[in-house]
Amino acid sequence: MLKVLVCVSGGGTNLQAILDKAKAKELGDVEIVRVISNNANAYALTRAAEAGVSGVCVSPKDYATRDEFHKAFLQAIDEVSPDLVVLAGFLVVIPEEVIIKYRNRIINIHPSLIPSFCGTGYYGLKVHEAALERGVKVTGATVHFVDEGTDTGPIILQKAVYVKEGDTPKDLQLRVMEEAEWEILPKAIRMIADGEVKLG
Ligand code: GAR
């Protein structure tokens, strides 16, 4: 049994895709043991509650220093001893101590074909704005392991999505989610659960 913890910041549509596949028994031998949000108002926490998964909020706003927040974040992970930590739209930089302790056990979904439109400052809608600005005809999504860099870890899965004439950033964001993210993130979890990905 692969114990999976999911970290979220907002709407949680990627979390929903994972919860739906888990419910449909399409994720293999996996249990979603906890959802952590840095934002108490994240709709993702409602999605977790509706699926009967424990959700906790660990917000930097509730701690006097970044160091204290990092300790609390690590503790919220350690409490459930996950085999895999999934960043599903988690917009907080992962503390180094967490990366070291959970090396090769943290994966992230990024809404572009890495190495395009990734790194510091590229998150959420900004990624799609940059892709449209550059005029690319194909974009997509990437699932990768998390290392000390921003979007630099080993790539597990990618899927391409066509840009359409007249797309707004929101149009493109939704198409990338529907055609790529909601498919490849659960698929990567299943591959890890099935032992098809080397965790180092
Ligand atoms: C997703 O598009 C995800 O790829 C992106 O945030 C969105 C979260 O949506 N993540 C990043 O940009 C990370 N750099 P969701 O809360 O509906 O899953």
Side-chain angles (χ1 to χ4, degrees):
M1 164 81 71
L2 190 85
K3 288 163 68 181
V4 176
L5 179 149
V6 185
C7 297
V8 294
S9 294
T13 64
N14 278 286
L15 169 67
Q16 192 67 57
I18 295 166
L19 293 169
D20 290 349
K21 297 267 183 194
K23 194 173 175 196
K25 306 265 179 251
E26 288 171 21
L27 277 191
D29 197 10
V30 160
E31 187 190 354
I32 315 300
V33 291
R34 172 170 277 187
V35 170
I36 298 177
S37 173
N38 62 307
N39 166 12
N41 298 318
Y43 186 63
L45 285 175
T46 304
R47 295 181 191 272
E50 281 171 358
V53 173
S54 107
V56 295
C57 173
V58 186
S59 168
K61 290 185 196 146
D62 297 332
Y63 299 90
T65 65
R66 204 72 189 171
D67 213 40
E68 282 177 35
F69 164 66
H70 287 173
K71 279 203 186 96
F73 181 64
L74 180 59
Q75 191 185 329
I77 297 174
D78 283 345
E79 275 167 10
V80 291
S81 312
D83 302 303
L84 182 68
V85 175
V86 177
L87 309 183
F90 190 59
L91 303 181
V92 172
V93 176
I94 301 299
E96 198 182 8
E97 54 262 51
V98 174
I99 293 170
I100 290 167
K101 187 158 183 187
Y102 289 89
R103 190 170 298 285
N104 298 326
R105 287 186 286 157
I106 310 175
I107 63 172
N108 179 50
I109 179 89
H110 183 78
S112 75
L113 294 174
I114 289 174
S116 290
F117 311 114
C118 64
T120 307
Y122 287 99
Y123 59 88
L125 208 56
K126 289 176 191 291
V127 177
H128 306 291
E129 286 166 357
L132 290 174
E133 175 91 357
R134 183 62 185 85
V136 295
K137 304 302 176 207
V138 178
T139 183
T142 303
V143 181
H144 64 92
F145 283 112
V146 172
D147 65 9
E148 280 81 351
T150 305
D151 303 326
T152 51
I155 290 170
I156 302 166
L157 285 175
Q158 290 188 302
K159 188 167 180 209
V161 173
Y162 283 109
V163 178
K164 289 187 183 165
E165 195 72 36
D167 267 348
T168 64
K170 278 194 179 294
D171 294 334
L172 190 55
Q173 179 180 49
L174 184 61
R175 190 170 327 107
V176 168
M177 283 176 158
E178 285 176 346
E179 293 184 10
E181 296 186 47
W182 301 341
E183 179 186 325
I184 64 173
L185 186 56
K187 189 172 174 187
I189 296 170
R190 167 144 212 155
M191 286 168 66
I192 291 167
D194 288 353
E196 289 171 17
V197 181
K198 282 263 173 289
L199 290 177

